[in-house]
Amino acid sequence: MYNILKHAHSGLRWVLLLALVVAIVAGFQAWKRGGQYKKGAALFALIVTHTQLILGLVLYFISPLVNFEEGFMKNEVTRFYTIEHLTTMLIAIALITIGYSRAKRKAEDAAAGKSLFVFMLIGLILILLGIPWPFRGLGGGWF
Ligand code: HEM
């Protein structure tokens, strides 16, 4: 169970990164290029983000890398998964959600696109910073 969730969470990052890039580009086109606001692209990015949140939350309770035992803050890996990964990703997910809802409420395509672009771009940057890429030495893989 743990391994399945871990690999699903790890692999889904790629779908999420791609979905965010597509939504950001769509947002930019609606904002600056007079294109139509693409609700589908935004909604897909939101759904994948929230799926990743659910997987992450379950993992948070079962992963051996998350613990609050004495000295966990001194260990780079346990500190990362217990505090840093959680916090960065929760902020990113909140921004992506806010960007989507604000865009949905805008009457004009350009305003909706701007909201999507700005919020999802900041969310994407935070996610890129919060991922335990293999080169960071935190035990994460590529898939
Ligand atoms: C939405 C953006 C997120 C992305 C892109 C993401 C991505 C990742 C990646 C790539 C790993 C390393 C997996 C591996 O290589 O084995 C990981 C691990 C982990 N993530 Fe996330 N994560 C996200 C959100 C969250 C959230 C919100 C939580 C907690 C509520 C969370 C909890 C965890 C835990 C506990 C692990 C460690 C799993 C283990 O190896 O035991 N993640 N995450």
Side-chain angles (χ1 to χ4, degrees), residues 27-103:
F28 185 80
Q29 277 169 347
W31 178 27
K32 291 285 184 196
R33 304 253 183 273
Q36 222 187 352
Y37 170 61
K38 293 200 181 69
K39 191 170 177 265
L43 183 63
F44 183 69
L46 184 81
I47 291 171
V48 182
T49 304
H50 285 186
T51 310
Q52 190 69 325
L53 167 67
I54 294 164
L55 291 174
L57 274 176
V58 179
L59 274 172
Y60 198 78
F61 289 99
I62 61 175
S63 170
L65 303 176
V66 173
N67 73 64
F68 289 91
E69 281 156 28
E70 211 188 323
F72 82 93
M73 285 295 275
K74 291 200 190 92
N75 180 318
E76 208 189 327
V77 175
T78 48
R79 188 182 63 229
F80 176 79
Y81 289 103
T82 310
I83 306 287
E84 295 164 6
H85 184 68
L86 172 79
T87 320
T88 317
M89 295 318 199
L90 286 182
I91 296 171
I93 294 167
L95 289 172
I96 289 167
T97 311
I98 293 168
Y100 173 82
S101 346
R102 276 174 55 115

Side-chain angles (χ1 to χ4, degrees), residues 16-17 19-25 27 37-47 49-50 92-101 103 112-128:
L16 176 58
L17 292 176
L20 285 174
V21 170
V22 171
I24 289 164
V25 171
Y37 170 61
K38 293 200 181 69
K39 191 170 177 265
L43 183 63
F44 183 69
L46 184 81
I47 291 171
T49 304
H50 285 186
I93 294 167
L95 289 172
I96 289 167
T97 311
I98 293 168
Y100 173 82
S101 346
K114 182 183 176 186
S115 175
L116 200 67
F117 176 81
V118 171
F119 282 84
M120 295 227 173
L121 183 62
I122 302 172
L124 173 65
I125 293 168
L126 286 176
I127 286 176
L128 286 171

